[in-house]
Amino acid sequence: MPPTRSLVLPTHPLELPEVLLYISAYLPLRHLPSCALVSKTWNQVVTPLIWKEIKYCHSEHGSDVIQRHRHLIKTLDVDAVFLMRCASIRFPNLESLNVGSGYDHPGFEAFIPEHPSASLQISVWGPDCREQPGIWDMFLGFNNIKSLELKDMDFDGRDTSSIWQLCTRLERLELNNPLLKGFNRPSKEFSRIKEMALFDIRKEDGLKILELLKRCPHLTTLICKFWGTSEQNCSFFRDFARLLSEGAWSDLKAITTKVHLELDSNYISAIIRGMKQIHVLSLWGFKPHHFDLLRPHLDTITEIDLGGGSTSEMNQEILSYSPMLKRFKATYIYGTDVAEGQPWVCLGLEKLDIGFEFEPLTIHHDQPLVFDQLSKLTRIEKMSFYFGPHGFGAPKESFDFRLEYGLHKLATLRRLSVFRFYRTTQRMGMEEIDWMLNHWKSLSEVEGRFTKWSHYSDWTLRKRLENHGIKCKDYHPRDYFLRD
Amino acid sequence: MKVTLESSDGQVFTVDKEVAELSVIIKEMLVIEQANQDHPIPLLNVGAVELAKVIEYCEHHRNDPTIDDDEDYDSRKKPIEMDDWDKQFTIVNKEMMFELILAANSMQVKPLLHLGCRYAADIVKRMSPTEIRDLFQIDDDFTPEEQDKIEWEKQWTKL
């Protein structure tokens, strides 16, 4: 049976819309308008791509142009000038609306998606918005709004009832650097909110944030980043942990905290006990004795970062008993623990950030076995090795990425795109570099020092990678702490 | 396991099943016709020269991870990686490359289709609309008014 789809074929591939769509995906956006002029077929393919995302329009005329393409626009960045011109246009397929500061027009009821299943994400930034009560009533007209991001929003002394009314419809709320001085406790319950992201919360606002969280009983994901290291943050986590262990937020599966203090050991116990199922756990202050509480959750965990609080044996246990694991960050793991431990089961791991440490006497035995485990992680995209060393006792040795020691086993890591090795002592040569170029087809970034022999040889190896379009960085301790 | 494929001009090729399965169309056909594999699979739109080249490509990429090719695929965010072998492979004349794009499209060999389209995009992006039309013998089916309108609308997109 021949493939029926291709019985009728135009003579040239560049007249097949499906092929043109692939080609246009490889063209920088700025080349698309000229492609629109080639023929009607080309025009039909590239026009939706051209109009998908529209930023501020300062052109003097032409709201009729926007009007004509309104159904193609999915992302819109607007400011006052734009609004004055386009206030009456409806955008039926809008997915994302960004409202900048300087908004001063009362009426743009029109940005309402008509498609019932469409969800809308709105970002509002700049304190200027507080001067515009009309804006919230306008957003209330959006039936499909699912996600709201508020940047630098000032809640001080204003009527927040419209905002809270809007929040009852949201699935995701993000507050970025909110000013909560005159914040009033919301009277409504936000029963649809599943994800709350709180960035750059001032240290004195912890308890106000808690009031907000109390209104979200079905929360599944909490991401929070506080400023400072004060007592007030502690009181937020104390009360949060207490409420959680008393049964609040029974759907909570993911917690990511970025706080520059170690949480009290008791709060951590209460948080882990309070979560019925754990998918994501990222916090500081974890201690080895918490691991017994975490152990029953290993089979559901997808992402874990315990801020360096887990031991090598625990890290090996996580890798051997967490089949769902996608992202894992920990400080160190001993080669011996991997070599003698259970095989890893986290075959879907995408990001690994850990320091391998080997005993000088057993490194030649253990290292090939560690390479064996790593070679099973065929879905890995980012791999970082930070050599502390953190262990006690005799001095440890770092991973040695040479072909003769087993690097060749990692030929299976075909998705690897970022490879970093910090503070390790490498003795790589051109052989290793050429091997990487041949086998790691997705490699785009390497960070670390390739060889300790000389700066010149290190430079030569770096140049070779750079000539193949791979970004190379020498390791800098500062970068380790700043990166994501 | 081996699979035989027959080009439009009657030439028969025998390849490993896993190599042939890089073509989504062949993979689907093998599922449907599991019992009947004595006859070669006919590929009515693909000539012997192109088919040989497609098979050469699939042989080299037999162990590659499959690309997630959903509708919203946008290579501006995530370009397909090209290795030295691929670069060598694309050193062919334009006509051959377009034949390969057609073959890859009709057989649905996604990575080869991406490779070819990336090649075509590199050619197109240095050209004016008129040059593109001349090179590919595409008819200009716009009236001057339509053309002016598109030119004028362009300024709104800020591209």
Side-chain angles (χ1 to χ4, degrees):
Chain A
M1 191 183 70
T4 48
R5 46 178 283 123
S6 43
L7 284 177
V8 185
L9 263 185
T11 49
H12 207 282
L14 295 185
E15 282 170 275
L16 287 170
E18 70 260 36
V19 172
L20 279 178
L21 200 58
Y22 279 112
I23 294 177
S24 56
Y26 284 99
L27 286 169
L29 278 174
R30 67 196 146 85
H31 291 287
L32 294 179
S34 105
C35 292
L37 285 162
V38 174
S39 73
K40 286 193 171 153
T41 314
W42 283 57
N43 191 287
Q44 276 167 12
V45 171
V46 298
T47 303
L49 301 172
I50 293 174
W51 288 89
K52 201 169 156 189
E53 201 171 313
I54 297 297
K55 299 216 188 298
Y56 303 113
C57 297
H58 295 298
S59 171
E60 296 229 332
H61 312 281
S63 61
D64 59 319
V65 179
I66 295 284
Q67 167 81 30
R68 200 156 44 240
H69 296 95
R70 65 200 174 93
H71 57 285
L72 297 174
I73 297 175
K74 293 193 171 161
T75 299
L76 198 54
D77 280 14
V78 296
D79 66 352
V81 183
F82 182 94
L83 285 170
M84 302 242 259
R85 302 231 163 80
C86 302
S88 60
I89 300 174
R90 291 177 79 88
F91 297 91
N93 295 313
L94 199 67
E95 286 168 6
S96 173
L97 175 65
N98 299 307
V99 187
S101 53
Y103 166 81
D104 62 350
H105 195 269
F108 64 136
E109 301 79 10
F111 296 96
I112 304 169
E114 283 161 354
H115 199 270
S117 67
S119 65
L120 183 64
Q121 179 196 321
I122 298 182
S123 308
V124 183
W125 68 92
D128 292 4
C129 287
R130 72 173 189 269
E131 308 296 340
Q132 303 306 327
I135 194 172
W136 299 105
D137 293 333
M138 181 204 73
F139 288 152
L140 276 172
F142 289 29
N143 290 318
N144 302 319
I145 174 167
K146 295 275 163 60
S147 166
L148 181 65
E149 289 172 15
L150 300 172
K151 293 182 191 123
D152 310 324
M153 179 76 194
D154 189 346
F155 287 83
D156 190 16
R158 48 169 293 138
D159 177 17
T160 45
S161 58
S162 306
I163 300 178
W164 302 140
Q165 176 70 36
L166 191 63
C167 286
T168 60
R169 302 184 193 163
L170 297 178
E171 289 177 6
R172 183 179 192 277
L173 176 63
E174 177 179 324
L175 298 179
N176 199 324
N177 189 29
L179 301 157
L180 296 167
K181 209 169 149 221
F183 172 84
N184 291 315
R185 203 165 71 98
S187 54
K188 292 186 170 8
E189 183 161 283
F190 311 133
S191 55
R192 291 191 193 175
I193 290 189
K194 293 206 158 40
E195 183 174 335
M196 185 81 101
L198 306 158
F199 296 109
D200 297 342
I201 304 296
R202 283 168 177 70
K203 57 188 181 204
E204 63 274 18
D205 288 338
L207 293 177
K208 291 170 184 163
I209 288 296
L210 196 66
E211 289 301 328
L212 197 58
L213 288 179
K214 279 190 200 166
R215 299 280 148 192
C216 311
H218 301 303
L219 203 66
T220 62
T221 304
L222 173 66
I223 301 163
C224 54
K225 185 182 162 198
F226 283 83
W227 283 120
T229 58
S230 72
E231 277 297 302
Q232 282 115 325
N233 283 340
C234 292
S235 56
F236 168 80
F237 282 103
R238 181 195 61 219
D239 291 358
F240 174 77
R242 181 176 51 79
L243 289 168
L244 188 66
S245 60
E246 285 168 11
W249 307 294
S250 58
D251 298 332
L252 196 69
K253 294 181 181 69
I255 294 190
T256 304
T257 62
K258 295 252 161 41
V259 202
H260 294 289
L261 82 167
E262 290 204 351
L263 298 185
D264 185 279
S265 171
N266 292 324
Y267 307 163
I268 300 229
S269 304
I271 288 173
I272 299 177
R273 271 205 200 94
M275 290 170 82
K276 293 193 173 57
Q277 206 181 56
I278 301 182
H279 290 181
V280 178
L281 193 65
S282 169
L283 38 75
W284 284 20
F286 187 90
K287 295 279 181 297
H289 68 263
H290 293 121
F291 197 73
D292 285 337
L293 296 172
L294 186 63
R295 192 174 276 120
H297 295 285
L298 291 184
D299 55 343
T300 55
I301 275 180
T302 60
E303 185 176 338
I304 194 156
D305 174 2
L306 302 172
S310 49
T311 66
S312 166
E313 292 89 342
M314 291 168 189
N315 294 332
Q316 164 64 17
E317 193 172 337
I318 291 170
L319 289 160
S320 308
Y321 290 94
S322 307
M324 313 298 280
L325 200 62
K326 287 211 154 51
R327 291 160 159 259
F328 183 39
K329 185 173 174 188
T331 323
Y332 70 103
I333 187 164
Y334 293 146
T336 319
D337 286 332
V338 180
E340 289 169 4
Q342 296 289 317
W344 294 355
V345 295
C346 49
L347 304 184
L349 198 69
E350 290 166 5
K351 194 174 168 190
L352 176 65
D353 189 335
I354 202 165
F356 282 92
E357 297 180 14
F358 296 93
E359 300 283 347
L361 286 177
T362 56
I363 180 166
H364 294 296
H365 171 265
D366 294 343
Q367 193 165 257
L369 297 170
V370 175
F371 274 121
D372 281 336
Q373 294 300 325
L374 282 172
S375 71
K376 295 196 290 190
L377 308 177
T378 54
R379 301 189 79 84
I380 203 142
E381 290 167 14
K382 281 188 177 181
M383 198 158 71
S384 309
F385 302 109
Y386 178 84
F387 183 62
H390 304 84
F392 303 100
K396 302 288 191 290
E397 291 204 28
S398 68
F399 233 131
D400 196 341
F401 296 110
R402 273 186 289 177
L403 291 171
E404 58 194 287
Y405 293 119
L407 179 66
H408 66 276
K409 293 180 180 177
L410 302 191
T412 45
L413 311 189
R414 302 180 74 112
R415 289 173 190 241
L416 188 68
S417 120
V418 179
F419 179 41
R420 294 170 172 148
F421 36 97
Y422 302 94
R423 294 186 58 182
T424 63
T425 322
Q426 297 302 327
R427 301 165 188 88
M428 287 188 227
M430 201 52 92
E431 256 183 306
E432 277 76 21
I433 300 296
D434 284 340
W435 180 89
M436 285 182 202
L437 288 169
N438 280 330
H439 292 88
W440 291 345
K441 305 272 177 68
S442 311
L443 197 65
S444 63
E445 192 185 320
V446 179
E447 195 175 333
R449 187 157 293 174
F450 298 99
T451 171
K452 64 169 190 174
W453 299 133
S454 74
H455 282 292
Y456 175 71
S457 13
D458 190 58
W459 181 84
T460 328
L461 301 176
R462 201 173 298 278
K463 270 283 159 259
R464 172 119 179 107
L465 284 174
E466 278 170 356
N467 287 342
H468 284 78
I470 292 167
K471 209 166 88 185
C472 285
K473 269 164 70 183
D474 197 355
Y475 155 74
H476 191 287
R478 189 191 58 223
D479 299 338
Y480 178 75
F481 295 102
L482 287 181
R483 81 214 146 88
D484 62 286
Chain B
M1 207 187 109
K2 297 280 184 185
V3 174
T4 50
L5 309 174
E6 187 181 344
S7 68
S8 59
D9 39 358
Q11 205 165 318
V12 174
F13 294 81
T14 306
V15 293
D16 287 340
K17 185 170 174 242
E18 57 171 8
V19 172
E21 280 185 346
L22 253 70
S23 154
V24 177
I25 296 285
I26 294 177
K27 193 173 181 178
E28 283 169 7
M29 284 166 77
L30 289 175
V31 174
I32 299 165
E33 300 185 23
Q34 223 154 25
N36 179 18
Q37 271 163 16
D38 311 329
H39 304 293
I41 297 173
L43 296 162
L44 297 190
N45 312 306
V46 186
V49 183
E50 291 81 33
L51 186 54
K53 200 84 173 135
V54 173
I55 291 171
E56 184 192 340
Y57 179 88
C58 294
E59 287 275 6
H60 182 79
H61 289 275
R62 62 199 293 167
N63 296 321
D64 280 12
T66 50
I67 18 180
D68 304 321
D69 192 74
D70 52 48
E71 277 181 25
D72 233 13
Y73 183 84
D74 191 346
S75 66
R76 274 177 285 269
K77 290 175 200 138
K78 202 175 174 186
I80 298 285
E81 295 298 325
M82 256 170 108
D83 60 15
D84 286 344
W85 192 93
D86 288 334
K87 280 176 196 150
Q88 280 295 319
F89 186 82
T90 50
I91 304 178
V92 292
N93 61 33
K94 291 191 187 87
E95 288 67 33
M96 181 63 192
M97 202 46 171
F98 292 131
E99 289 300 326
L100 276 178
I101 294 176
L102 271 184
N105 186 50
S106 71
M107 292 171 71
Q108 289 291 296
V109 183
K110 288 286 167 66
L112 179 57
L113 187 55
H114 277 284
L115 186 70
C117 288
R118 183 174 165 166
Y119 175 97
D122 276 343
I123 297 174
V124 163
K125 75 181 168 206
R126 287 187 288 271
M127 291 178 146
S128 71
T130 323
E131 287 169 326
I132 297 175
R133 280 194 295 263
D134 289 350
L135 180 70
F136 305 125
Q137 291 145 23
I138 298 168
D139 291 330
D140 180 1
D141 46 8
F142 290 119
T143 63
E145 293 76 39
E146 283 172 327
Q147 220 161 56
D148 287 348
K149 199 181 90 183
I150 298 168
E151 284 273 19
W152 188 76
E153 286 178 350
K154 209 164 85 172
Q155 60 173 327
W156 269 86
T157 62
K158 298 198 101 189
L159 290 173

